[in-house]
Amino acid sequence: MIVVCFIILACSVTSVHCDTTLRWRKNAEHRSDSWRKYDTDQFHIEFKDQGAFTISFGKDVWFSSGPMFVRKDGTSYKSGDNLKFVTSKTAFGQDELGRYVMNLYRFSYDQNLVDFSARQYTAPQKPAIIFSQYFHNDSSHVAASSVNDIVSGFPTFDLGGSCMNLGFLSFGGDMLGDTDKKFGRWGKGSAKINTGIVGGPVVIFNNKSQPITVFISPFSEFMAGSVAHDPVEDTVGWGIMGGVDHIPAGTSYETMFYYGMDGINKTIGQWGKLMRDYYRKNEDYRRADLTVNYLGYWTDQGAYYYYLTEPNKTYEQTVLDIKKEADSQKIPYRYFQYDSWFYPKGPKGGVKTWEPTAEAFPNGFMYVYNQTGWPAAAHNRWWSSTTTYAVQNGGQYQFILDPPKAIPTEEVFWEFLFKDAKKWGLILYEQDWLYIEFNQTATLTNLTLGRTWMNQMGRAAANNGLTIQYCMANPRHALQSLENPAVTQARVSDDYAPGNEQWRIGISSIFADALGLAPYKDTFWTTQTETGNKYGKDEPYPALEAVVATLSTGPVGPSDKIASTNVTLLMRCCNQDGLILKPSRPAVAIDKQILRTVFDPTQNSTGEIWSTYTIVSGYPFGIVFVADQENGVSLSRSDIGFTFQPMVAFSTMIDRNENIEVLNFTETTPLVLSKCSKSEFCLYYTSPVFSVGTSSVLIYGEEDKWVPMSPQRVLRIATTNDDITLTVKGSFEETVKFAFIEWSSGSSLRSVTCTFGPSGQAVIRYSSSQCEMQ
Ligand SMILES: *[C@@H]1O[C@H](CO)[C@@H](O)[C@H](O)[C@H]1NC(C)=O
Ligand SMILES: *[C@@H]1O[C@H](CO)[C@@H](O)[C@H](O)[C@H]1NC(C)=O
Ligand SMILES: *[C@@H]1O[C@H](CO)[C@@H](O)[C@H](O)[C@H]1NC(C)=O
Ligand SMILES: *[C@@H]1O[C@H](CO)[C@@H](O)[C@H](O)[C@H]1NC(C)=O
Ligand SMILES: *[C@@H]1O[C@H](CO)[C@@H](O)[C@H](O)[C@H]1NC(C)=O
Ligand SMILES: *[C@@H]1O[C@H](CO)[C@@H](O)[C@H](O)[C@H]1NC(C)=O
Ligand SMILES: *[C@@H]1O[C@H](CO)[C@@H](O)[C@H](O)[C@H]1NC(C)=O
Ligand SMILES: *[C@@H]1O[C@H](CO)[C@@H](O)[C@H](O)[C@H]1NC(C)=O
Ligand SMILES: *[C@@H]1O[C@H](CO)[C@@H](O)[C@H](O)[C@H]1NC(C)=O
Ligand SMILES: *[C@@H]1O[C@H](CO)[C@@H](O)[C@H](O)[C@H]1NC(C)=O
């Protein structure tokens, strides 16, 4: 009894501080008697009559519902008002996620019926609730007054409904929701999340070192689902995007509320795993994508040869010269990216015909493909309403024309386009400008057209063995990739320009990785000064650019002026064949970086603190990357998300030959870094401690690579009482140097050199310091 009183008292005290609404007070009263049962962090959703609910963790109410609503003929029908409650039921069922219990609430408005329901999965248990809206009737004239609003709202959350100290991360804008991503405090009047067409998943968390995290996002109809803020009610709700004016009978739209106890990054990863399983997102395409696996040369915005050729030469000659230079410098580019400069455009810049102009390629792509042997990654933007492919313009395929843009509506069009392009070596189709192809055509006001368009493109690519990169994708396009296994990668930050800040991809990479997409940093220069460049700029931090690209696990695509490449620096990414030596997962920002942005903004820290790791034969090799962190920072093993042990850390490769500093990295002895800048970023590696005889040995791995231990190089680690053997692979005549650290004897290095024979495989033995060909 005393406990209960104490809690009630605590609540009423808190409520004074957070300007509690009447609605919240009711919820609190309603909840108080059951608080005793939930005194840990346990998740709990409690429904009241007519579908109102609260969501709590332990005794803390995080969310309470606002009114549900639907629109029709200019009227908004709201629960508690003109949206009339009809009936409710609890039902049991089963779908691909498992068995569930469903609370369903039926409402009527203007002789139409709508069901709002929530499914909780019991067997197997899932830390998720799926909120559903089901429209019984064919309904016209439902659009909201703004495309950025929503036609229907359930769930909606009352921002005044929690007294908790919560923060948010809201993905939004393009580049997979990176460009407008926002951080802030979740609560009354203060949640400035991204809404409408550019909006996306909202991540809400508390201020613990391992925060409870909630991830809310559309679960179906990704292209048509939006989140909106109602400034009058101060609620945030999910539903069908505001421009849709017609909802066919039988339409349903669903929102997933996912939660996790393992922190922000891990909860997003767990959400992504569930989504990928549910939508059968097949990662084989990503693994097999040549452009994800090998070095390529890029010519997009920021590149030296972006809308620029060598003086008095065509693009064709320029490409051939890049090839010649690469051969002479032994730079193993394996494909070439052709950007928007290659195709003819209609008025206002849309694509007229997706073929190279005679001006750029007098002998055509086939000729260049033949001369270079380079397969192509090719860019595409929005279609012009004058496109020669459209029936309206004398072409053969159905398009909806929305001058100056157009959207194709037939899969056979994509089949034709891709089959044709494969002849000149297309392997990666880069669909850029996704956001304006969506928000300036009929897709903006049609419930299904956006999904139809994206899936036709995706299926045709898969049928033709092509992969797709999404560029300038809003979060809705990002989610739509779940239905398209051919989409293997996505740009995760704004365009590169020498010296700009778009290398900060640690947060958007969390979202990309959750969706099974390889994050692409974009192109970069490997040399500071490239004379005659069109940007009039230098790249002060080529090494930063190169390491970020390599740790991303996405494409590594430099774009230097001919004869300006820093080959030594570039080749830290790759083996002699251009195979990228990467970690097992993309490097991502640690929770601590996000938490301090939200909860301690006065620190003004712009520091990026990321981690990743490689697993070989079950042994973990960690990488900690910190840049632009001017103040000292202390990182415990759990801060950087490493659960494996035992291990030690050692410092950056940059000066490792002179002075390798080995740190005993335990849970109680954190990694303390004093200053990590952009020119001298910090790069720490960890290794398990191997016992060999009486010594403790650490595996450093391959020297002169950003990722010394990568699954692309090291196939196996075997240990006995007195030896460690590494099975490694490489290309014919490639020489590699591997290092071990003898920890017990003053941290000395033992290096072993291997030159691969025709088999491309060798065994490195620690005990004898020998390399044997296999
Ligand atoms: C809406 O659908 C319900 C259920 O099918 C039906 O009973 C009702 O008559 C429909 N309303 C209209 C206006 O057609
Ligand atoms: C982020 O989550 C992924 C799982 O989704 C995990 O593999 C990785 O270690 C995590 N990284 C950090 C820094 O927590
Ligand atoms: C390019 O051509 C123009 C006109 O023929 C000539 O004046 C110029 O010197 C040429 N530039 C180079 C770099 O060859
Ligand atoms: C280029 O064309 C020639 C002659 O048709 C052919 O022998 C050669 O194999 C082609 N090379 C490539 C890389 O396709
Ligand atoms: C489309 O998106 C772009 C970029 O976010 C924005 O500038 C433009 O206003 C949007 N147009 C519409 C019709 O929403
Ligand atoms: C919406 O697009 C679909 C194709 O996905 C089409 O069949 C339907 O007619 C369109 N609806 C409207 C209202 O234009
Ligand atoms: C090339 O990069 C390496 C490694 O970062 C650096 O030591 C060297 O100075 C660079 N060379 C040039 C010419 O910039
Ligand atoms: C968040 O937690 C940190 C670390 O415990 C603390 O220093 C900070 O004051 C907290 N901020 C807020 C707003 O709760
Ligand atoms: C952060 O910036 C503000 C405004 O420039 C300044 O007043 C404050 O001292 C800074 N805080 C820290 C920790 O540097
Ligand atoms: C490293 O730390 C572990 C655990 O605290 C301890 O057992 C071990 O002796 C330490 N090793 C060295 C070389 O300091």
Side-chain angles (χ1 to χ4, degrees):
M1 212 46 208
I2 291 165
V3 173
V4 173
C5 289
F6 172 74
I7 290 167
I8 291 169
L9 182 65
C11 174
S12 62
V13 168
T14 319
S15 70
V16 174
H17 294 293
C18 61
D19 187 18
T20 319
T21 61
L22 186 60
R23 208 182 296 142
W24 183 81
R25 221 188 285 277
K26 273 202 216 128
N27 290 333
E29 279 158 20
H30 181 80
R31 296 225 9 92
S32 59
D33 53 63
S34 50
W35 278 1
R36 229 170 355 157
K37 283 186 279 179
Y38 306 106
D39 53 1
T40 62
D41 283 346
Q42 196 186 335
F43 170 85
H44 187 64
I45 181 165
E46 190 157 314
F47 286 95
K48 297 192 287 175
D49 300 341
Q50 310 195 359
F53 62 87
T54 55
I55 292 175
S56 318
F57 290 96
K59 62 181 166 53
D60 301 325
V61 179
W62 280 43
F63 302 95
S64 48
S65 59
M68 327 164 191
F69 66 89
V70 284
R71 292 181 207 278
K72 193 168 186 299
D73 297 321
T75 303
S76 176
Y77 295 86
K78 278 189 191 174
S79 61
D81 186 8
N82 49 355
L83 182 64
K84 299 294 179 204
F85 176 72
V86 178
T87 181
S88 71
K89 67 172 180 181
T90 302
F92 298 87
Q94 185 158 13
D95 64 20
E96 288 184 53
L97 289 180
R99 268 188 282 183
Y100 60 78
V101 51
M102 175 171 70
N103 292 58
L104 183 145
Y105 303 89
R106 180 163 297 167
F107 293 85
S108 74
Y109 61 105
D110 194 25
Q111 292 166 22
N112 284 357
L113 291 180
V114 62
D115 289 347
F116 293 128
S117 65
R119 303 198 295 276
Q120 284 180 273
Y121 290 83
T122 49
Q125 255 188 4
K126 303 271 183 212
I129 297 181
I130 294 176
F131 290 99
S132 168
Q133 312 177 358
Y134 178 83
F135 299 86
H136 286 260
N137 309 85
D138 196 83
S139 326
S140 294
H141 313 301
V142 300
S145 55
S146 160
V147 293
N148 288 317
D149 210 332
I150 47 180
V151 162
S152 53
F154 178 74
T156 69
F157 296 113
D158 176 5
L159 290 179
S162 171
C163 291
M164 297 295 301
N165 179 21
L166 302 177
F168 71 80
L169 157 59
S170 156
F171 291 101
D174 63 303
M175 299 303 186
L176 225 73
D178 179 70
T179 57
D180 291 351
K181 68 179 180 301
K182 293 189 170 74
F183 303 88
R185 302 291 279 279
W186 179 263
K188 189 161 181 60
S190 63
K192 306 260 186 300
I193 60 169
N194 287 293
T195 56
I197 298 307
V198 303
V202 182
V203 193
I204 299 157
F205 39 83
N206 60 9
N207 186 24
K208 299 248 181 71
S209 64
Q210 193 168 293
I212 299 178
T213 303
V214 166
F215 189 92
I216 312 173
S217 179
F219 181 64
S220 68
E221 295 299 346
F222 301 121
M223 294 301 289
S226 280
V227 53
H229 178 236
D230 177 338
V232 177
E233 300 274 351
D234 201 14
T235 54
V236 164
W238 277 260
I240 293 170
M241 63 184 177
V244 171
D245 201 33
H246 174 240
I247 299 178
T251 295
S252 70
Y253 160 75
E254 296 178 328
T255 304
M256 176 178 272
F257 178 106
Y258 190 92
Y259 63 92
M261 302 293 161
D262 298 331
I264 300 167
N265 161 66
K266 288 201 170 117
T267 299
I268 299 176
Q270 288 154 7
W271 162 83
K273 172 81 170 64
L274 187 155
M275 297 298 279
R276 283 180 281 122
D277 288 350
Y278 185 79
Y279 281 99
R280 308 216 166 93
K281 171 83 184 190
N282 180 340
E283 287 189 66
D284 294 350
Y285 289 82
R286 174 175 171 185
R287 274 190 284 273
D289 186 339
L290 182 131
T291 67
V292 168
N293 287 298
Y294 287 93
L295 184 64
Y297 187 89
W298 282 66
T299 63
D300 63 330
Q301 172 81 262
Y304 190 86
Y305 296 110
Y306 176 65
Y307 286 90
L308 183 75
T309 60
E310 291 180 279
N312 293 355
K313 290 193 179 180
T314 61
Y315 251 117
E316 183 177 296
Q317 289 166 310
T318 306
V319 176
L320 298 180
D321 287 347
I322 292 167
K323 170 67 178 166
K324 211 185 289 170
E325 173 71 9
D327 287 348
S328 78
Q329 297 278 322
K330 295 198 164 47
I331 308 173
Y333 300 128
R334 297 290 295 271
Y335 66 96
F336 194 92
Q337 186 266 357
Y338 297 92
D339 209 70
S340 60
W341 45 261
F342 82 79
Y343 45 74
K345 300 168 189 80
K348 310 247 169 152
V351 190
K352 203 161 176 171
T353 309
W354 199 58
E355 281 173 3
T357 60
E359 199 192 349
F361 291 91
N363 294 297
F365 265 166
M366 289 289 276
Y367 171 77
V368 176
Y369 181 36
N370 180 293
Q371 291 292 300
T372 60
W374 275 335
H379 176 279
N380 203 1
R381 54 161 68 151
W382 67 89
W383 296 102
S384 166
S385 52
T386 65
T387 176
T388 55
Y389 302 117
V391 166
Q392 294 93 324
N393 302 324
Q396 290 187 43
Y397 301 100
Q398 298 295 331
F399 276 69
I400 298 174
L401 305 186
D402 282 295
K405 297 194 168 59
I407 188 110
T409 58
E410 290 186 285
E411 194 165 321
V412 284
F413 165 66
W414 295 104
E415 284 285 347
F416 149 79
L417 195 74
F418 291 154
K419 261 201 186 75
D420 199 53
K422 280 182 73 173
K423 294 183 199 140
W424 44 262
L426 184 72
I427 53 168
L428 175 75
Y429 177 72
E430 178 194 350
Q431 182 64 64
D432 195 3
W433 297 94
L434 279 161
Y435 70 143
I436 64 164
E437 177 77 350
F438 177 79
N439 85 357
Q440 296 177 9
T441 68
T443 48
L444 185 61
T445 52
N446 183 311
L447 181 68
T448 56
L449 185 59
R451 174 170 180 246
T452 303
W453 159 57
M454 299 289 281
N455 287 1
Q456 286 176 348
M457 180 201 307
R459 273 194 302 265
N463 288 343
N464 283 284
L466 301 178
T467 57
I468 297 179
Q469 178 186 103
Y470 282 175
C471 190
M472 295 179 122
N474 293 131
R476 65 189 64 242
H477 304 96
L479 294 167
Q480 194 57 41
S481 74
L482 286 163
E483 291 194 82
N484 288 293
V487 183
T488 54
Q489 50 182 296
R491 271 281 299 284
V492 289
S493 67
D494 226 329
D495 287 348
Y496 174 71
N500 78 356
E501 295 288 311
Q502 64 81 242
W503 58 274
R504 298 174 187 273
I505 60 170
I507 289 169
S508 49
S509 291
I510 299 175
F511 187 37
D513 189 44
L515 293 166
L517 300 172
Y520 181 38
K521 185 214 84 81
D522 201 7
T523 191
F524 61 97
W525 295 0
T526 64
T527 303
Q528 183 157 350
T529 304
E530 309 212 343
T531 53
N533 77 74
K534 59 187 293 179
Y535 312 99
K537 296 231 168 74
D538 273 1
E539 172 50 74
Y541 313 114
L544 176 72
E545 295 290 330
V547 70
V548 166
T550 308
L551 295 180
S552 75
T553 75
V556 176
S559 54
D560 295 298
K561 182 183 183 181
I562 290 171
S564 287
T565 307
N566 183 336
V567 183
T568 312
L569 174 67
L570 179 59
M571 290 310 291
R572 286 182 175 173
C573 69
C574 297
N575 84 355
Q576 187 180 279
D577 284 342
L579 179 69
I580 305 167
L581 303 171
K582 52 176 84 183
S584 297
R585 303 211 65 85
V588 294
I590 64 169
D591 284 5
K592 200 169 185 171
Q593 181 188 325
I594 299 171
L595 290 172
R596 74 179 181 191
T597 306
V598 172
F599 293 106
D600 291 306
T602 57
Q603 283 190 25
N604 306 334
S605 185
T606 52
E608 300 285 338
I609 311 174
W610 309 348
S611 82
T612 183
Y613 55 85
T614 296
I615 308 267
V616 181
S617 297
Y619 294 109
F621 296 87
I623 301 177
V624 180
F625 166 83
V626 186
D628 197 26
Q629 171 67 41
E630 296 295 321
N631 300 329
V633 64
S634 163
L635 302 170
S636 73
R637 236 160 42 180
S638 52
D639 281 342
I640 58 175
F642 290 172
T643 46
F644 36 83
Q645 59 179 328
M647 64 174 181
V648 295
F650 39 87
S651 62
T652 164
M653 68 181 265
I654 310 291
D655 63 351
R656 51 162 290 279
N657 280 325
E658 296 79 52
N659 184 3
I660 190 141
E661 179 198 5
V662 178
L663 308 160
N664 202 0
F665 191 22
T666 67
E667 197 48 58
T668 50
T669 46
L671 192 56
V672 180
L673 306 177
S674 53
K675 180 181 171 181
C676 309
S677 63
K678 289 192 262 185
S679 52
E680 288 179 38
F681 49 83
C682 301
L683 198 54
Y684 280 75
Y685 302 103
T686 76
S687 165
V689 181
F690 296 88
S691 295
V692 180
T694 54
S695 12
S696 296
V697 177
L698 317 174
I699 302 179
Y700 177 90
E702 185 175 0
E703 300 185 23
D704 301 321
K705 301 295 177 192
W706 296 123
V707 183
M709 289 297 285
S710 73
Q712 288 75 26
R713 180 70 86 194
V714 187
L715 303 180
R716 262 189 310 282
I717 299 173
T719 57
T720 60
N721 283 342
D722 47 25
D723 208 357
I724 305 171
T725 58
L726 308 181
T727 307
V728 296
K729 83 177 170 182
S731 65
F732 182 43
E733 295 184 330
E734 179 177 19
T735 297
V736 297
K737 213 162 136 195
F738 263 73
F740 299 88
I741 299 170
E742 290 159 354
W743 194 21
S744 21
S745 57
S747 303
S748 63
L749 280 183
R750 179 184 291 201
S751 288
V752 181
T753 300
C754 273
T755 300
F756 290 97
S759 76
Q761 196 158 309
V763 169
I764 292 172
R765 284 184 205 291
Y766 166 76
S767 58
S768 60
S769 303
Q770 294 289 314
C771 177
E772 295 158 14
M773 289 307 126
Q774 284 204 317

